[in-house]
Amino acid sequence: MILDPGSTPGRALHQFLISVVVPRPIAFVSTAGSAGHFNVAPFSYFNLISTRPPLLGIAIGLRAGAPKDTLRNIRESGDFVINVVDESLAARMVQTSGEWPAEVDEFELSGLTALASELVRAPRVQESPIQLECRLHREVDFGEATLVVGELVRAHARDELITDGTVDPIQLRPLARLGGDAYATLGRVLHLARPRVTPADGRAGA
Ligand SMILES: Cc1cc2nc3c(=O)[nH]c(=O)nc-3n(C[C@H](O)[C@H](O)[C@H](O)COP(=O)(O)O)c2cc1C
């Protein structure tokens, strides 16, 4: 198959691309609106951008030509929380992704608990095993999508998940998004040491 993005309708292009870039981690993003209500929704156009400063990025598309509630809230408060989605949160996470009106509190809707953050206005999802408090670092406008870059200001992780300062993926049981309405759980975990290249190796190859 050969695909020309320019002549492919938007929906088909979206379906193709989200089935190619897999598996994608899911940022369950909680925010606070200026009227005091809370919002939470999943975003899988999500990744780590930099370690220092610790930056994370999510891309938020338009809905009917207008910003989604999550983006509006991030602009208003200047912050958000990325909550990690584990297998136990799958059904509730999907429920919050409905196109609910702005005044609907998706915490109440899905039976999730909003927990106060330490440094930001946005609440955390208590049921999430890892919660990352972020301040808006910058926004990059791509027309039909906005890349939101957040700087991590506080991380909360369940103690039992941590071994030597890192998160044990087997204990975490992260959920990932595939194409269509498919999701993946963690399969086999491989450990592969990176080659240690010395200056002598460089000369040998030259
Ligand atoms: C697993 C999953 C991942 C999603 N990823 C994105 C994404 O990366 N960007 C986006 O704009 N919408 C994404 N969506 C759709 C939003 O979650 C959906 O539009 C939601 O209603 C937005 O909520 P809000 O209006 O409260 O911000 C995703 C939905 C699901 C179920």
Side-chain angles (χ1 to χ4, degrees):
M1 177 190 125
I2 294 177
L3 180 141
D4 170 15
S7 59
T8 305
R11 193 173 158 69
L13 186 58
H14 176 74
Q15 290 302 333
F16 175 72
L17 289 174
I18 69 167
S19 71
V20 170
V21 183
V22 290
R24 294 185 308 288
I26 302 169
F28 202 18
V29 179
S30 43
T31 53
S34 55
H37 58 266
F38 294 153
N39 193 93
V40 59
F43 295 87
S44 67
Y45 285 38
F46 161 51
N47 225 309
L48 187 58
I49 293 176
S50 138
T51 303
R52 196 166 296 283
L55 301 178
L56 299 123
I58 51 170
I60 305 181
L62 295 173
R63 180 166 48 221
K68 295 185 181 181
D69 300 337
T70 299
L71 182 57
R72 275 216 327 273
N73 289 351
I74 291 173
R75 286 175 172 160
E76 285 171 13
S77 71
D79 61 49
F80 56 100
V81 176
I82 293 177
N83 304 275
V84 169
V85 179
D86 65 10
E87 290 178 34
S88 75
L89 282 171
R92 287 172 285 179
M93 175 276 296
V94 171
Q95 198 184 15
T96 67
S97 74
E99 310 284 300
W100 307 107
E103 59 277 14
V104 168
D105 178 338
E106 288 103 349
F107 278 94
E108 276 176 28
L109 182 88
S110 57
L112 293 166
T113 315
L115 189 63
S117 290
E118 282 183 19
L119 299 177
V120 302
R121 270 188 49 203
R124 296 178 276 152
V125 174
Q126 182 173 291
E127 291 79 1
S128 165
I130 302 175
Q131 307 133 0
L132 307 173
E133 297 184 28
C134 298
R135 284 214 181 92
L136 178 60
H137 179 81
R138 77 176 57 161
E139 247 187 52
V140 187
D141 179 13
F142 291 106
E144 291 194 13
T146 302
L147 175 65
V148 172
V149 178
E151 176 164 357
L152 175 71
V153 292
R154 190 69 96 229
H156 308 261
R158 275 186 206 144
D159 290 337
E160 64 269 26
L161 297 175
I162 308 291
T163 310
D164 295 333
T166 64
V167 174
D168 177 351
I170 303 293
Q171 300 290 328
L172 180 62
R173 304 172 78 85
L175 190 75
R177 188 166 188 207
L178 306 172
D181 61 2
Y183 293 85
T185 56
L186 210 57
R188 214 153 50 93
V189 175
L190 309 178
H191 292 267
L192 303 170
R194 290 176 66 182
R196 296 181 69 86
V197 180
T198 65
D201 294 317
R203 278 197 299 279

